[in-house]
Amino acid sequence: MGKRLFPTFVKYVSQSVMGMVGISCYILADTWFVAAAFGAEGLAALNLAIVVYSLMNAAGLMAGIGGATLFSLSFAAGRERRTEIFSSTAALGLFFAVIFTGAGLFFSGGIARLLGADEVIFAMTRSYLRTILSFSLFFIMNNIFLAFVRNDGSPRLAMAAMVTGSLSNIALDYLFIFPFGWGLFGAALATAIAPMISLALLSLHFVLRRSSFRPSLRRLRAGAVAKMIPLGLSSMVTELSSAATLAAFNLMILAMAGNTGVAAYGIVANLALVELAVFVGIAQGMQPLVSRSRGADDGHSCRLLLLYGAAFSLAVASLAYGTVFVWAR
């Protein structure tokens, strides 16, 4: 059984890791281009705004991973049950999107002040926040669709969507910041368009009739939402802890070293987000396999998957530590 399971594990995890690294490059691309165009002040504004991006991402991951886990656990229950779970998850995502969009449209200035933006970087921080939050629906739905498409047997399409979105973000970052001269608004807009492109590719899962479920407003169930939230909390807490750490460090470094200190920390923090994305990718790649094994009451496969995941994570962590100690400069 282990020999049959390991190739499937490698397939799902490798494609998930590649895709998650692609998503993390949304912000990494912004970091590179913003640094080139606006220097330390632009980096400081970006690093303050990333806290809210992490909060938005946490909501999307909680809904996506929680709903997709329940989806896989209920796979034998039939198409109508799977449709019910997906539709209820999408409704939860829409609820979160309304909250974040409202915050961006009406409170972006207050949020920028709360995060520590001074007069020098206030306008840039507010502009980035307002743009990113105004497109929160696409970020959150992208997380949901990625998780469901992956759990519905199409990890390659999920990976392709994430990588394509990331590459488009890099190209649009350059176009909007340099030739168009749109400043930090351009960087935020490029990042906001990326999940839209990803969603367009993910829609092929439905257009080509590969899906085992379908969206339906008539299949919304509060009970499904109540069950999926606990299943997605661990993913949410991981992202929230990153946001809380980033916010705390930003405020302390602002007091000690000002915007230049936050800019320096921003480079380190954004690289750390990429590393965190690798581990999130491992977990998300494993999740469909673990959920199916659990749904089939196959405890042996669950234990093997845990062993594979732990070993893979340890290897990645060792590589990361080695890279930091040898090539930190």
Side-chain angles (χ1 to χ4, degrees):
M1 182 179 293
K3 291 182 178 179
R4 295 195 301 271
L5 187 61
F6 184 71
T8 306
F9 168 85
V10 172
K11 172 187 173 183
Y12 271 75
V13 167
S14 61
Q15 293 177 354
S16 177
V17 166
M18 290 177 64
M20 282 306 300
V21 169
I23 281 187
S24 69
C25 287
Y26 286 5
I27 298 300
L28 197 61
D30 281 357
T31 301
W32 197 92
F33 286 107
V34 166
F38 310 108
E41 292 175 358
L43 277 179
L46 177 64
N47 202 49
L48 296 181
I50 287 173
V51 174
V52 176
Y53 172 85
S54 295
L55 295 177
M56 181 174 61
N57 200 43
L61 284 173
M62 189 272 281
I65 298 301
T69 301
L70 185 62
F71 175 88
S72 287
L73 289 171
S74 307
F75 208 81
R79 182 184 179 92
E80 291 302 315
R81 174 60 175 164
R82 295 193 293 273
T83 295
E84 177 183 300
I85 293 170
F86 172 76
S87 301
S88 301
T89 304
L92 179 62
L94 179 60
F95 171 75
F96 286 138
V98 169
I99 294 174
F100 282 107
T101 301
L105 292 176
F106 301 109
F107 304 108
S108 55
I111 295 171
R113 294 289 189 198
L114 183 65
L115 293 172
D118 61 17
E119 293 302 324
V120 177
I121 63 172
F122 173 77
M124 289 190 290
T125 307
R126 181 181 60 184
S127 174
Y128 195 94
L129 283 171
R130 179 177 293 167
T131 306
I132 286 291
L133 290 174
S134 296
F135 287 85
S136 60
L137 175 66
F138 300 101
F139 286 104
I140 292 172
M141 288 302 174
N142 189 41
N143 275 318
I144 291 173
F145 274 75
L146 284 169
F148 273 85
V149 169
R150 187 185 301 115
N151 277 262
D152 203 30
S154 297
R156 185 173 298 175
L157 178 60
M159 178 198 70
M162 288 189 282
V163 171
T164 302
S166 179
L167 292 176
S168 68
N169 181 41
I170 294 171
L172 292 173
D173 259 329
Y174 169 77
L175 185 66
F176 291 167
I177 292 176
F178 292 106
F180 287 10
W182 288 352
L184 225 64
F185 163 74
L189 183 61
T191 300
I193 290 175
M196 299 169 66
I197 294 174
S198 176
L199 283 167
L201 280 177
L202 291 171
S203 67
L204 293 175
H205 190 66
F206 303 95
V207 173
L208 299 178
R209 301 184 181 277
R210 296 175 180 172
S211 65
S212 64
F213 61 94
R214 65 186 186 279
S216 174
L217 294 175
R218 294 178 297 176
R219 302 297 299 179
L220 303 180
R221 297 291 183 273
V225 174
K227 290 179 181 179
M228 73 179 65
I229 289 177
L231 295 173
L233 275 179
S234 60
S235 297
M236 186 178 194
V237 168
T238 299
E239 194 71 18
L240 287 178
S241 64
S242 176
T245 302
L246 182 59
F249 269 76
N250 281 341
L251 291 173
M252 288 188 290
I253 293 172
L254 274 172
M256 293 186 294
N259 292 331
T260 302
V262 172
Y265 172 61
I267 295 172
V268 177
N270 292 339
L271 289 173
L273 286 176
V274 177
E275 179 62 22
L276 177 63
V278 175
F279 294 109
V280 172
I282 294 171
Q284 291 191 9
M286 292 172 57
Q287 177 265 314
L289 305 178
V290 174
S291 297
R292 291 174 194 172
S293 297
R294 180 67 182 86
D297 200 24
D298 186 355
H300 178 64
S301 292
C302 287
R303 288 189 291 272
L304 279 176
L305 289 166
L306 176 61
L307 178 63
Y308 297 155
F312 201 71
S313 298
L314 181 61
V316 171
S318 300
L319 179 62
Y321 276 120
T323 300
V324 168
F325 280 112
V326 176
W327 290 294
R329 179 175 293 274

